[in-house]
Amino acid sequence: MEYRSNFQEEEKLLDHVLVLIRDRIPLMEEEIKKTEEYLEFLYAMEVDPYSPYRHEIPGMEEHHQYYAKSLLHMKKAASNPYFGKIYFSYEGEKQDHLYYIGKRNISDLTFTNGEPMQIIDWRAPVSAVYYDGRLGKTNFEGPYETMYVDLKGKTTIKIKDGKLVNLYDVEVVTNDELLADYLSQNKDTVLNDIIATIQEEQNQIIRKKLSQNIIVQGVAGSGKTTVALHRISYLLYNYEKEITYENVCLIAANPLFLHYITSMLPDLDVPAVQQGTMQEILTNGIAQYQPHFSRKITEGVFQTVYSNETYPKRIQKFFDEIQQQVFRENRIRLLTVELVSAEQITVILRKKSMSLFEKAKELDKIMDHSLKRCRGELISIITDYKENETVKKIAKDILKLDPNHILEFNVESNYGRLTKFFKNYFSRRLKQLRVQELFSEFTGLSKIETVNDLACYLYLLYQVKGPKQEFDKTKQIVIDEAQDFNIAVYLCLRAIYSKATFTIVGDVMQNIHEDGLHSWEPVLEEAFDGKAECIKLLKSYRNTIEISAFAQKIMEYVTQKPFYIEPIIRHGKAPQIYSYQSDEDKIKRIQSELIPSFQAEDRKLNAIICKTMENAQKAAHALRETEHVILMDTEQEHLEFGTYIVTVGSSKGLEFDAVILWDFDLYDLQTDSLDYKLLYVAMTRALHELHIFSNREEIGKIAKELFE
């Protein structure tokens, strides 16, 4: 079969495929109806404990779930069944293969000539050729070995509402041209086409093995969140024997951003994974030890005890001191019998991956084993040396015998008292420790107030009370906006979720918190002992060239250093700088010019970004009568279309068609301030338009030099 990308033929094929798919839908609906009716019959019969039908229920329920899920997928495919195709031959074979790539696998289809056709799930191993492969010799990782192929053609197919819109042959159109077409759309349509436009560097991260810990450092708009969510989908599809959705935990900074990203999961064929803000995840972790624990957390409080530079060594030293207190003996001897040797104690205490609780349990096992193994020897020693004062004391205090009546038979019959006395020898000492007191001793704080406090307290609980089975269920943890969290958080999560691997995505340039991360090194070295792969994403797919260039120039102006942003080739309006005489002047321009222009350009989701909540509230009051302008509630979970007044902090991770910077001149543009990072975050939220109110002459000069 010859590879070709002809619009009319592809249009004809699409119409043919849609008919085949749509014809299946009523058949599947009929099958579901029959299954539901039969299940009703089975449930009615279930009341009879002797019913021969009871054993059919689990299988029939599974059958129903399968068809219900398949029907949902088929209905979605009925308007957009695929987005690409690849044409290749395997190394050593003459036969050519033509596969279409879609969001889900669809088999038993035909081409218009009646030959078999198959739509391959984007997560399948062979689909990597679509994302990574350049024409010519390439390869992909199969289930058992690397597969080598000769890629002869690759096409991205744009379909909207069941109609073919465009074709992009890889050897004809550049990647930036393809992306520019997709990304030039407004906010309501961009997310629908993400799978079709995953880039090679993003795809390589998505398809990393489940066993790998990954830290992704990506510039604003580089697709970090996209990568994280698609990786969840990929892992669930390709490692179904190792993990299910119940084994995945997704962590985000706030409820709004969490809902923003999890709303994409159903379209990626991902059910409801574990999810929560960092505060919720840590609080729930503490509740595993203290069921009624709850705490209202204070945001933005920097505590020097959690310094990224000093905390790891300080907490380790603190644990070493507790360890010295609990395991104070060099060895454990009973009379002349060595129950636990110095070497055994040393080996176990040196295991950094074990909690204090696990070390205590391990040594307790050794002692218990020794007492059983040396039972005869100890009975003989006690009997033979019954006149010895130490033996008499053991007989009296532990064996509960008359020191003057030590005989072999009563020592043997009471030996259980001896094993009971030494049972949980070390664990009992740990139980005497009070975690709240340890927390106060280490931090100097009387109560838990911040996320870092939660992490430190949970880490102490884990060390003293040991792991919980609930933690072991989690196999993959995904953390977005990860630069916002302190090393105390990562040390805690890495310890309690010892059975999990991590996908950590963020941008240290967007760390706007004093105790957040300015570098990934503490996480890599301290939390992962260097056993994580750090990957950089340097290309921005969000901003236009004009917005990226302006943000880059502002950052270079502030830092006096080169600043690197590589945007795709997508042009748009130059950022606009407006000088103003008063707030009334600013409000008038927003109401009479900017908001109407957004509506005219069909900019559906926009933002007025303020540095502080106080300023956001002032802006909201000033614009209270302006239609479709809303102050965003920090606790809300949904964003409808309109123009939202937001703080920089609450805008993180989000993107908007157009952005207005309300109070640009309040940012302290000094590198010893976090303000320049706040400004970077604010500017890079804009997809298409950036409008800035500023009376700073140098800012207008930068814009003029760039765009005139």
Side-chain angles (χ1 to χ4, degrees):
M1 184 185 296
E2 182 182 350
Y3 177 87
R4 56 178 178 265
S5 182
N6 177 281
F7 190 91
Q8 284 74 30
E9 291 187 6
E10 289 293 344
E11 192 172 39
K12 184 179 177 183
L13 175 63
L14 175 62
D15 291 341
H16 170 72
V17 169
L18 290 180
V19 168
L20 295 178
I21 290 174
R22 289 166 183 170
D23 284 348
R24 289 187 188 180
I25 291 175
L27 298 176
M28 297 176 74
E29 289 175 333
E30 182 61 29
E31 182 63 28
I32 289 173
K33 184 180 178 182
K34 289 179 182 178
T35 306
E36 288 173 346
E37 289 173 352
Y38 191 56
L39 273 172
E40 286 181 13
F41 166 74
L42 292 177
Y43 291 146
M45 298 298 294
E46 190 182 16
V47 295
D48 179 3
Y50 302 104
S51 170
Y53 298 102
R54 291 171 67 90
H55 69 281
E56 291 188 43
I57 292 177
M60 193 53 60
E61 286 177 334
E62 188 175 333
H63 182 75
H64 179 265
Q65 289 171 3
Y66 170 79
Y67 266 96
K69 187 176 181 180
S70 298
L71 176 62
L72 181 63
H73 293 169
M74 203 61 67
K75 285 182 175 179
K76 289 181 178 180
S79 60
N80 197 340
Y82 46 78
F83 53 78
K85 65 175 180 175
I86 49 176
Y87 181 61
F88 66 92
S89 61
Y90 287 101
E91 184 180 58
E93 291 185 5
K94 293 183 179 180
Q95 181 184 359
D96 292 325
H97 301 270
L98 175 60
Y99 288 133
Y100 281 72
I101 312 295
K103 290 184 178 180
R104 287 161 196 91
N105 199 50
I106 305 177
S107 56
D108 299 326
L109 297 172
T110 64
F111 289 102
T112 51
N113 62 5
E115 290 185 16
M117 173 191 178
Q118 186 170 6
I119 300 172
I120 302 295
D121 193 295
W122 71 272
R123 297 163 293 186
V126 70
S127 298
V129 174
Y130 171 78
Y131 294 109
D132 294 349
R134 296 171 177 84
L135 295 188
K137 305 293 184 182
T138 186
N139 62 75
F140 65 92
E141 291 299 322
Y144 308 108
E145 60 181 326
T146 302
M147 307 298 293
Y148 295 90
V149 301
D150 181 8
L151 182 60
K152 300 175 181 179
K154 180 169 74 170
T155 302
T156 295
I157 301 168
K158 188 174 182 182
I159 299 168
K160 185 173 182 180
D161 298 328
K163 299 295 181 183
L164 183 62
V165 177
N166 216 335
L167 301 172
Y168 307 90
D169 281 344
V170 72
E171 69 271 30
V172 176
V173 67
T174 67
N175 192 50
D176 276 6
E177 285 179 279
L178 187 159
L179 283 168
D181 184 36
Y182 277 94
L183 298 175
S184 62
Q185 303 169 76
N186 283 321
K187 197 68 190 76
D188 64 326
T189 57
V190 172
L191 291 182
N192 297 332
D193 299 313
I194 284 176
I195 294 175
T197 57
I198 292 170
Q199 298 302 289
E200 182 177 352
E201 68 274 17
Q202 297 172 331
N203 186 55
Q204 289 172 357
I205 297 169
I206 290 167
R207 293 175 185 262
K208 292 287 182 185
K209 294 179 180 178
L210 174 62
S211 58
Q212 289 182 268
N213 292 303
I214 304 167
I215 299 173
V216 179
Q217 162 59 34
V219 299
S222 58
K224 300 180 294 293
T225 301
T226 295
V227 166
L229 299 183
H230 284 71
R231 178 159 170 75
I232 293 173
S233 181
Y234 173 81
L235 292 175
L236 291 176
Y237 180 86
N238 287 279
Y239 293 88
E240 59 181 353
K241 292 183 180 178
E242 287 96 327
I243 63 170
T244 70
Y245 68 92
E246 295 171 315
N247 306 132
V248 178
C249 180
L250 175 61
I251 305 175
N254 57 62
L256 175 63
F257 186 56
L258 185 66
H259 184 271
Y260 175 76
I261 58 180
T262 54
S263 65
M264 293 170 59
L265 290 177
D267 201 43
L268 293 172
D269 200 21
V270 176
V273 298
Q274 298 177 64
Q275 55 185 272
T277 63
M278 189 62 77
Q279 176 184 339
E280 289 169 341
I281 296 299
L282 295 173
T283 300
N284 291 342
I286 294 172
Q288 291 294 317
Y289 299 94
Q290 299 174 358
H292 302 295
F293 178 86
S294 65
R295 207 53 102 243
K296 186 171 179 61
I297 294 305
T298 304
E299 298 290 345
V301 178
F302 176 65
Q303 299 154 312
T304 54
V305 67
Y306 298 115
S307 162
N308 286 303
E309 290 72 30
T310 60
Y311 177 83
K313 288 183 173 58
R314 287 188 68 252
I315 193 72
Q316 186 57 53
K317 183 183 177 185
F318 189 67
F319 288 143
D320 289 344
E321 291 169 356
I322 299 173
Q323 183 168 282
Q324 185 68 30
Q325 175 187 341
V326 174
F327 311 104
R328 48 186 174 268
E329 299 93 341
N330 290 329
R331 60 180 181 174
I332 308 295
R333 290 172 64 89
L334 180 60
L335 300 173
T336 59
V337 175
E338 189 170 67
L339 300 178
V340 187
S341 69
E343 182 182 3
Q344 287 172 319
I345 291 175
T346 301
V347 167
I348 289 172
L349 295 189
R350 283 180 178 171
K351 291 184 177 180
K352 293 178 69 175
S353 61
M354 293 176 70
S355 66
L356 296 174
F357 177 88
E358 290 169 312
K359 291 175 182 179
K361 284 295 183 185
E362 196 66 27
L363 289 172
D364 286 342
K365 284 181 185 177
I366 292 172
M367 187 177 293
D368 185 60
H369 178 72
S370 295
L371 285 166
K372 291 175 181 175
R373 177 173 52 83
C374 300
R375 177 187 177 98
E377 184 181 357
L378 282 167
I379 290 172
S380 295
I381 292 171
I382 293 170
T383 305
D384 293 345
Y385 294 91
K386 55 188 174 184
E387 299 301 326
N388 181 281
E389 291 302 318
T390 302
V391 170
K392 286 184 177 182
K393 184 172 178 57
I394 290 171
K396 180 182 178 183
D397 296 343
I398 299 177
L399 298 175
K400 305 302 180 185
L401 295 174
D402 182 346
N404 298 314
H405 191 68
I406 301 174
L407 301 171
E408 184 174 346
F409 84 92
N410 60 12
V411 172
E412 185 167 359
S413 62
N414 280 14
Y415 190 81
R417 297 179 186 274
L418 189 66
T419 57
K420 186 177 180 180
F421 177 83
F422 284 100
K423 188 176 180 63
N424 298 327
Y425 182 81
F426 293 105
S427 300
R428 287 202 305 268
R429 293 179 181 176
L430 270 181
K431 283 185 178 180
Q432 293 170 4
L433 299 175
R434 297 290 175 266
V435 174
Q436 181 61 54
E437 292 174 6
L438 293 176
F439 172 78
S440 297
E441 181 184 345
F442 175 74
T443 63
L445 305 170
S446 59
K447 59 182 179 178
I448 295 169
E449 293 186 326
T450 69
V451 166
N452 292 336
D453 292 338
L454 288 172
C456 181
Y457 188 72
L458 178 53
Y459 197 13
L460 287 165
L461 282 168
Y462 164 79
Q463 287 287 338
V464 173
K465 297 183 180 296
K468 294 288 185 179
Q469 285 186 341
E470 191 65 27
F471 299 144
D472 289 345
K473 293 178 183 177
T474 302
K475 306 299 182 186
Q476 169 73 187
I477 293 180
V478 177
I479 306 176
D480 205 352
E481 293 296 324
Q483 76 283 341
D484 286 352
F485 306 117
N486 183 272
I487 188 60
V489 168
Y490 290 101
L491 286 175
C492 172
L493 293 180
R494 182 76 171 126
I496 67 172
Y497 293 109
S498 59
K499 300 290 192 297
T501 50
F502 288 70
T503 299
I504 295 169
V505 300
D507 178 12
V508 292
M509 187 61 194
Q510 295 185 63
N511 166 33
I512 59 175
H513 303 291
E514 238 181 315
D515 59 346
L517 294 168
H518 303 285
S519 160
W520 294 110
E521 188 175 352
V523 177
L524 176 63
E525 298 301 328
E526 301 295 344
F528 290 95
D529 295 321
K531 297 171 184 174
E533 184 176 0
C534 287
I535 305 168
K536 291 184 179 180
L537 293 175
L538 298 175
K539 196 162 188 174
S540 173
Y541 302 100
R542 176 185 297 146
N543 315 125
T544 60
I545 285 177
E546 290 75 14
I547 294 171
S548 290
F550 182 77
Q552 180 176 340
K553 277 295 181 185
I554 295 295
M555 290 301 102
E556 289 178 343
Y557 169 76
V558 173
T559 63
Q560 295 297 301
K561 295 177 182 178
F563 188 81
Y564 187 76
I565 304 176
E566 182 190 349
I568 68 157
I569 302 173
R570 178 172 71 89
H571 286 283
K573 294 180 180 179
Q576 299 296 305
I577 314 297
Y578 309 99
S579 58
Y580 59 99
Q581 302 299 318
S582 64
D583 279 352
E584 287 74 20
D585 185 20
K586 186 191 303 184
I587 293 161
K588 184 178 179 181
R589 173 157 283 183
I590 291 173
Q591 290 176 327
S592 63
E593 296 180 27
L594 297 183
I595 298 297
S597 75
F598 295 166
Q599 294 169 344
E601 293 285 342
D602 199 28
R603 305 301 190 205
K604 295 183 181 297
L605 185 61
N606 312 298
I608 299 172
I609 300 181
C610 304
K611 183 182 176 186
T612 65
M613 177 53 75
E614 182 183 359
N615 281 1
Q617 290 169 339
K618 287 180 180 177
H621 180 73
L623 295 166
R624 63 190 179 279
E625 294 181 4
T626 308
E627 193 175 3
H628 303 305
V629 175
I630 316 145
L631 176 64
M632 190 176 78
D633 182 352
T634 56
E635 296 300 316
Q636 75 184 83
E637 296 185 351
H638 299 269
L639 285 184
E640 305 295 338
F641 292 140
T643 298
Y644 285 86
I645 301 171
V646 301
T647 63
V648 181
S650 57
S651 75
K652 286 188 66 192
L654 305 177
E655 57 188 22
F656 302 90
D657 288 327
V659 166
I660 299 170
L661 298 193
W662 172 269
D663 48 12
F664 186 97
D665 292 347
L666 292 183
Y667 292 89
D668 180 7
L669 301 186
Q670 302 293 325
T671 52
D672 60 351
S673 165
L674 283 174
D675 278 16
Y676 78 102
K677 290 188 175 183
L678 285 167
L679 186 57
Y680 171 72
V681 170
M683 290 187 293
T684 54
R685 299 308 94 198
L687 278 164
H688 307 296
E689 298 182 34
L690 178 61
H691 302 270
I692 296 172
F693 285 92
S694 174
N695 289 318
R696 283 178 169 166
E697 291 184 7
E698 66 272 28
I699 303 306
K701 186 178 178 182
I702 288 171
K704 189 174 182 180
E705 289 175 353
L706 274 174
F707 306 117
E708 290 187 7

